[in-house]
């Protein structure tokens, strides 16, 4: 105890008098409040650009949805004013009914969902297995093969499109005639011609190979001692530990598969097999029907938005962990 | 662990294979689109591609013709697949590469010589009487052989409001006395002074085939051309001669002075809203402008740049693929389809100029005294086909690029010289395309 206390006076010394302590407490509270206010201000200041950026990225979508409700003339007259982003004026669903009159939308969406789902689903299986073989198995020539696979990334698809059309038109296939399976040639006008060429993907293989290489090989060795085969190691150890890589590949495969245009245009002549992006061309007649273009775009964007919202967390975490953006 | 995983792997493989096979089966269910083949009941299937997807009015007429033809005989059954216009040529080229072209296919007039040269199509071989009854620009020829024929043609003109020209003291041109370049230029300057910020909608915001379709007739009217039509072996002197340079200098100055612009929207909205005084546009926009301007609308001949007014000719036409297994059936269909009633239906539903005199009389828009009759006259008087050479595909894209460069201020002579060099190099590397 300090000498001040023994004299019966108020506590003093290093802690100071009660008034001083109270003042210090008040000061601390004020400081804390001030710090909290500063943090809030910083947070608000930090949010402002984020909100602005979000609005910036949202504008095209808002413009698309809003314009899909307006007649062509109004879309063009609103374009240089903020009204372009507001559902004002002659609002109706006419463009949507026009879309359904002009294009078999449901059929096109169904085709794209089927083709995209299979490309993504089979793609992650095939490419992850290839990545596993290249990163975990010891065999001669794997580095050369990986180099060759990566080298194919520099070849633009457009340069090989026509030869590919020729080749797929000569590939064997099985068709049913009166319930009897028959051997035939030519993959044109089918779903599988839109799917099979895009299952194996050099970039996906590279991504899986790189990701799998970061998983310690001691896991494999322990599993081998327990009697696991390579496929079991792949399925029970590698796949569960590689969620972000699978999510990344799924997303990176989904978008181009959904947006396919040139390839289906060349290999599919029957309307009932066409995907959504080919359908977009239906609206570009001599004078484009902009309202219907916006309505159609809104309709075909919905599945992508739903997919993104459903897998938003996986999408963000895959970017964070793999450093790859779509 | 391995023993359990093997069945799983096999199951997965089997499931994938089954799914793909099912997909393949779904795709194959309706058969391919190759040449003729036997359909049920001994009839031969004639496959047919059109560029009309997304154009219900045009498809409706085709469906009617096909239904009537299929119902009129038992030998052939025409089966149509429609493609969107913007993607059509790519689909045909891919089909040709795969040997999977249909028997009947339509094509834009200027591409006919290229596809004939490339071996995609064969001589048309339909009744000469039908060919003779059509507008000359509705028939596609290569090396004096007929390869295609169409139900209609289109025409460009200058749209104006009579009241606007009268109020500004501008002479209304006629086919007997069209505007000279000087008159046209002076009219644009007057209209600019009267408050039209950009008096002419010349359509420069558009792209692709529009550029040679719209502006090469102006070049030809000025005395130039896209290629030397005597030999079809060089563009030198035609595309970069003094007449061509003079025309493009005016073209460039029209943009520099703000008489025309490459802003705005494709279509005729600006004219319909009275934001521009004159519009250089096609018959397909006439109904909208009639609605907007009513009796005030004038459909005027394009200006005479020195060698008489010119407009581009040749629109979509029908041909028969070289690999068609039953060309007789394809010809039978085509001969059936060239009936005046069908041609008139195309003209009225599509707002295009009917290719026969009989259809013109049946038409509700293009007959004597009908509102769009002036287009028939313009087409007959001024239509000039784009050069009937396989090199046109290259000429078209080179011309568009050169025209846009000049519009944006590039040196006229050197830009045209460069264009000539590119065209000539292409012709040379293709051994003259058969000329």
């Amino acid at each position: 105890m300090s000498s001040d206390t023994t004299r019966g006076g108020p506590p003093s010394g290093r802690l100071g008098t009660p008034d001083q302590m109270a003042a210090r407490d008040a000061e601390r509270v004020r400081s804390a409040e001030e710090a909290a206010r500063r943090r809030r201000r910083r947070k608000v200041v930090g949010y402002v650009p984020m909100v602005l950026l979000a609005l910036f990225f949202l504008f095209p979508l808002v413009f698309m949805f809003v314009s899909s409700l307006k007649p062509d003339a109004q879309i063009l007259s609103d374009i240089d004013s903020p009204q372009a982003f507001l559902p004002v004026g002659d609002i109706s669903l006419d463009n949507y009914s026009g879309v359904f009159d002009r294009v078999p939308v449901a059929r096109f969406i169904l085709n794209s969902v089927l083709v995209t789902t299979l490309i993504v689903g089979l793609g992650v299986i095939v490419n992850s297995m290839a990545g596993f073989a290249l990163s975990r198995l010891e065999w001669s020539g794997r580095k050369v093969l990986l180099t060759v696979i990566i080298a194919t990334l520099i070849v633009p698809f457009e340069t090989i499109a026509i030869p590919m059309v020729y080749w797929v038109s000569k590939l064997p296939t099985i068709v049913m005639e009166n319930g009897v399976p028959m051997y035939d040639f030519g993959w044109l006008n089918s779903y599988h011609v839109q799917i099979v060429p895009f299952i194996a993907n050099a970039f996906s293989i590279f991504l899986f190979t790189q990701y799998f290489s970061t998983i310690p090989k001691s896991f494999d060795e322990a599993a081998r001692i327990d009697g696991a085969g390579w496929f079991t190691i792949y399925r029970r150890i590698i796949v569960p530990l590689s969620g972000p890589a699978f999510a990344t590949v799924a997303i990176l495969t989904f978008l181009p598969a959904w947006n396919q245009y040139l390839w289906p245009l060349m290999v599919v002549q029957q309307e009932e097999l066409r995907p959504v992006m080919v359908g977009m061309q239906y609206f570009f007649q001599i004078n484009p029907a902009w309202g219907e273009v916006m309505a159609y775009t809104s309709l075909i964007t919905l599945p992508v938005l739903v997919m993104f919202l459903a897998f938003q967390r996986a999408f963000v975490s895959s970017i964070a962990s793999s450093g790859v953006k779509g | 662990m391995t023993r359990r995983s093997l069945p799983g792997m096999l199951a997965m493989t089997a499931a994938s294979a089954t799914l793909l096979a099912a997909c393949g089966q779904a795709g194959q269910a309706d058969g391919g689109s190759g040449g003729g083949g036997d359909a049920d009941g001994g009839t031969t299937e004639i496959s047919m591609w059109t560029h009309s997807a997304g154009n219900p009015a045009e498809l409706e007429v085709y469906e009617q013709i096909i239904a009537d033809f299929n119902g009129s005989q038992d030998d052939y059954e025409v089966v149509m697949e429609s493609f969107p216009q913007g993607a059509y040529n790519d689909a045909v080229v891919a089909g040709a590469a795969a040997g999977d072209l249909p028997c009947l296919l339509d094509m834009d007039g200027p591409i006919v010589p290229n596809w004939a040269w490339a071996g995609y199509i064969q001589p048309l071989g339909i009744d000469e009487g039908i060919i003779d009854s059509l507008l000359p620009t509705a028939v596609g020829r290569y090396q004096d052989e007929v390869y295609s024929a169409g139900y209609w043609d289109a025409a460009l003109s200058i749209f104006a409001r009579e009241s606007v020209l009268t109020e500004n003291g501008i002479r209304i041109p006629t086919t007997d006395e069209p505007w000279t370049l000087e008159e046209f230029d002076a009219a644009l300057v007057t209209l600019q002074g009267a408050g039209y910020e950009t008096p002419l909608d010349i359509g420069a915001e558009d792209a692709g085939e529009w550029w040679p379709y719209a502006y090469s007739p102006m070049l030809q009217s000025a005395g130039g051309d896209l290629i030397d039509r005597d030999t079809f072996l060089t563009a030198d002197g035609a595309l970069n001669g003094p007449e061509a340079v003079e025309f493009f200098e005016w073209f460039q100055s029209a943009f520099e002075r703000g008489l025309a612009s490459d802003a705005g929207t494709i279509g005729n909205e600006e004219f319909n809203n009275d934001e521009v005084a004159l519009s250089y546009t096609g018959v397909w926009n006439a109904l909208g402008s009639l609605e907007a301007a009513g009796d005030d609308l004038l459909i005027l001949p394009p200006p005479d740049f020195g060698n008489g007014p010119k407009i581009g000719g040749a629109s979509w036409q029908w041909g028969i693929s070289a690999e068609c297994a039953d060309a007789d059936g394809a010809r039978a269909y085509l001969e059936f389809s060239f009936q005046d009633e069908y041609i008139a239906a195309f003209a009225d539903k599509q707002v295009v100029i009917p290719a026969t005199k009989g259809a013109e009389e049946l038409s509700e828009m293009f007959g004597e005294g009908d509102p769009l009759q002036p287009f028939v006259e313009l087409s007959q008087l001024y239509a000039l086909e784009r050069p009937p050479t396989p090199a046109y595909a290259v000429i078209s894209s080179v011309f568009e690029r050169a025209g846009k460069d000049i519009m944006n201020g590039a040196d006229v002579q050197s830009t045209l010289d460069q264009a000539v060099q590119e065209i000539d190099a292409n012709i040379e590397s293709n051994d003259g395309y058969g000329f």
Side-chain angles (χ1 to χ4, degrees):
Chain A
M1 270 199 170
S2 73
S3 58
D4 288 334
T5 312
T6 56
R7 282 198 295 270
S12 60
R14 283 170 55 208
L15 291 177
T17 64
D19 286 347
Q20 288 170 325
M21 288 169 67
R24 275 203 299 276
D25 286 347
E27 180 60 31
R28 270 201 295 274
V29 170
R30 268 200 304 278
S31 302
E33 284 174 351
E34 182 59 32
R37 268 199 297 275
R38 273 202 301 274
R39 274 199 301 275
R40 272 201 301 274
R41 269 201 300 274
R42 272 203 298 272
K43 218 171 181 178
V44 169
V45 170
Y47 270 114
V48 168
M50 282 196 274
V51 168
L52 289 175
L53 206 60
L55 286 175
F56 182 75
F57 283 110
L58 211 56
F59 271 154
L61 287 176
V62 173
F63 176 76
M64 178 180 75
F65 283 120
V66 167
S67 299
S68 72
L69 303 172
K70 297 177 180 176
D72 284 357
Q74 197 192 328
I75 294 171
L76 298 173
S77 61
D78 285 355
I79 201 124
D80 51 1
S81 75
Q83 288 195 343
F85 302 99
L86 301 172
V88 293
D90 189 6
I91 296 299
S92 75
L93 292 174
D94 287 354
N95 289 325
Y96 286 89
S97 64
V99 164
F100 282 94
D101 287 344
R102 200 189 285 261
V103 173
V105 191
R107 181 79 206 188
F108 287 177
I109 291 178
L110 192 69
N111 290 342
S112 279
V113 167
L114 177 71
V115 168
T116 305
T117 305
L118 285 169
I119 289 176
V120 173
L122 296 174
V124 291
I125 294 169
V126 169
N127 296 314
S128 63
M129 284 182 170
F132 178 79
L134 289 164
S135 68
R136 315 298 285 191
L137 307 186
E138 295 294 333
W139 48 283
S140 57
R142 67 192 176 106
K143 284 186 179 165
V144 175
L145 182 62
L146 183 60
T147 308
V148 170
I149 288 171
I150 293 169
T152 64
L153 286 171
I154 64 171
V155 181
F157 175 72
E158 287 75 9
T159 61
I160 56 168
I162 292 287
M164 273 179 67
V165 172
Y166 177 80
W167 282 110
V168 296
S169 73
K170 307 293 177 204
L171 288 173
T173 188
I174 295 170
V175 294
M176 301 295 282
E177 272 187 25
N178 302 323
V180 181
M182 304 287 285
Y183 199 66
D184 200 356
F185 287 92
W187 280 21
L188 300 182
N189 275 316
S190 64
Y191 283 117
H192 56 263
V193 76
Q194 300 179 65
I195 297 165
V196 175
F198 302 99
I199 293 173
N201 181 297
F203 187 68
S204 301
I205 292 171
F206 171 68
L207 212 67
F208 278 124
T209 306
Q210 291 300 102
Y211 196 89
F212 294 164
S213 302
T214 63
I215 299 171
K217 292 212 169 176
S218 54
F219 290 6
D220 302 12
E221 289 153 11
R224 296 286 290 176
I225 290 166
D226 286 345
W230 286 115
F231 184 68
T232 304
I233 292 171
Y234 160 77
R235 191 164 63 89
R236 294 281 174 84
I237 297 172
I238 301 298
V239 173
L241 288 173
S242 308
F246 277 84
T248 305
V249 167
I251 290 159
L252 293 181
T253 311
F254 173 85
L255 287 176
W258 185 261
N259 290 332
Q260 274 205 68
Y261 172 74
L262 181 64
W263 181 250
L265 174 71
M266 293 194 300
V267 296
V268 172
Q269 287 107 33
Q270 289 173 20
E271 187 172 63
E272 59 266 30
L273 296 173
R274 286 180 191 149
V276 289
M277 287 306 157
V278 176
M280 179 69 83
Q281 277 289 350
Y282 281 50
F283 302 95
F284 290 93
Q285 303 294 320
I286 288 177
N287 295 330
W290 291 116
E292 290 180 15
V293 168
M294 294 300 168
Y296 184 72
T297 319
S298 301
L299 286 171
I300 66 173
T301 304
L302 275 178
V304 182
L305 279 179
V306 168
M307 162 98 179
F308 176 76
L309 292 174
F311 295 100
Q312 194 173 184
R313 198 174 292 274
F315 183 55
V316 173
S317 71
S318 74
I319 288 173
S321 59
S322 67
V324 175
K325 295 182 282 294
Chain B
M1 285 170 89
T2 308
R3 279 195 302 275
R4 274 188 294 152
S5 65
L6 190 60
M9 186 167 63
L10 287 172
M12 197 163 59
T13 309
S16 304
T18 308
L19 202 52
L20 282 174
C23 292
Q25 190 51 39
Q28 301 279 358
D30 293 325
S33 58
D38 283 339
D40 289 343
T43 56
T44 301
E45 193 175 283
I46 306 289
S47 51
M48 166 176 162
W49 288 2
T50 89
H51 74 289
S52 314
N55 188 340
E58 192 173 348
L59 283 176
E60 191 187 324
V61 186
Y62 281 128
E63 281 162 4
Q64 184 63 55
I65 298 173
I66 290 167
D68 291 351
F69 174 74
N70 289 347
S72 70
Q73 42 74 52
D74 297 325
D75 296 331
Y76 306 108
E77 184 188 6
V78 172
V79 178
M80 178 174 68
E81 282 297 341
S82 61
F83 294 73
Q85 182 173 336
Y88 182 69
N89 282 6
D90 291 335
V92 170
V93 171
D100 195 45
L101 285 179
C103 259
L104 288 158
L105 66 166
D106 66 351
M107 61 206 83
D108 200 7
I111 203 73
V112 171
N114 187 282
W115 288 5
W117 169 78
Y120 295 0
I121 52 178
Q122 58 176 290
L124 198 60
I126 64 170
D127 184 359
E128 280 295 325
I130 292 174
I131 299 295
D132 293 343
S133 71
L134 301 174
L135 286 172
T137 49
V139 179
R141 288 186 168 84
Y142 172 58
Q143 304 280 45
D144 298 326
E145 190 91 57
V146 173
Y147 278 86
S148 62
Y151 306 114
W152 68 79
D153 201 357
L156 292 176
S157 76
I158 301 279
F159 286 12
R161 283 179 172 79
E162 186 173 4
S163 58
V164 171
L165 298 189
T166 309
E167 280 164 22
N168 289 283
I170 297 168
R171 181 178 75 81
I172 295 171
T174 62
T175 49
D176 290 333
E177 200 179 345
W179 278 327
T180 62
L181 175 57
E182 291 70 28
E183 273 185 296
F184 182 50
D185 194 272
L188 293 176
V189 172
T190 303
L191 292 166
Q192 194 176 40
Y196 288 101
E197 190 181 340
T198 307
L200 172 65
D201 179 359
I202 202 169
E205 67 280 359
D206 210 336
E209 185 54 26
W210 165 258
W211 272 72
Y213 176 65
Y215 309 129
S216 70
M218 291 182 173
L219 169 68
Q220 287 143 2
S221 174
D225 208 337
L226 295 169
I227 193 169
D228 174 2
R229 292 193 191 224
D230 291 333
T231 64
F232 290 108
L233 291 174
T234 178
D236 194 28
L239 186 53
N240 61 350
E243 297 89 354
V245 172
E246 194 179 343
F247 161 69
F248 273 111
E249 280 174 350
W250 173 83
F251 187 75
Q252 190 175 57
S253 83
F255 288 92
E256 283 170 353
R257 290 179 287 154
L259 302 178
S261 158
D262 64 341
T265 53
I266 296 170
N268 216 25
E269 281 300 313
E270 282 89 353
F271 176 80
N272 295 346
N273 296 334
D274 201 19
E275 292 163 15
V276 298
L278 305 178
S279 178
Y280 181 54
T281 190
V283 58
W284 55 86
N285 279 324
L287 283 188
S289 297
L290 263 176
E291 204 175 303
D295 291 341
D296 205 16
L297 179 70
L298 293 173
I299 296 166
L300 304 175
D304 178 359
F305 285 77
N307 284 265
K310 298 279 187 288
I311 54 177
S315 189
W316 285 83
Q317 299 165 1
W318 282 92
I320 300 172
S321 72
E323 64 195 53
C324 176
D326 207 319
D328 287 341
R331 290 191 182 100
Y333 166 79
L334 284 181
E335 288 175 353
F336 179 88
S337 71
F338 276 94
Q339 295 181 36
D340 287 338
E341 59 172 310
Y342 298 136
I343 296 175
F346 276 123
D348 289 348
K349 286 180 187 289
Q350 290 276 91
V351 196
V352 286
I353 300 164
T356 64
K357 191 74 188 163
E360 197 184 304
E361 284 159 13
L362 286 177
S363 164
E364 292 170 6
M365 294 181 195
F366 293 92
E368 201 61 46
D370 290 336
L372 304 187
Q373 207 277 334
F375 284 104
V376 178
E377 191 185 1
L378 294 178
S379 176
Q380 287 168 349
L381 284 173
Y382 303 135
L384 178 66
E385 65 179 339
R386 281 152 280 181
T389 163
Y392 182 77
V394 170
I395 293 172
S396 170
S397 61
V398 170
F399 180 84
E400 181 191 3
R401 195 169 60 245
K404 286 183 171 171
D405 286 348
I406 290 169
M407 174 181 75
N408 291 316
D411 177 69
V412 174
Q413 184 70 65
S414 61
T415 304
L416 294 178
D417 287 343
Q418 175 64 29
V420 165
Q421 210 175 336
E422 281 182 55
I423 291 168
D424 285 6
N426 180 269
I427 292 171
E428 199 178 327
S429 67
N430 285 285
D431 295 328
Y433 284 110
F435 287 101

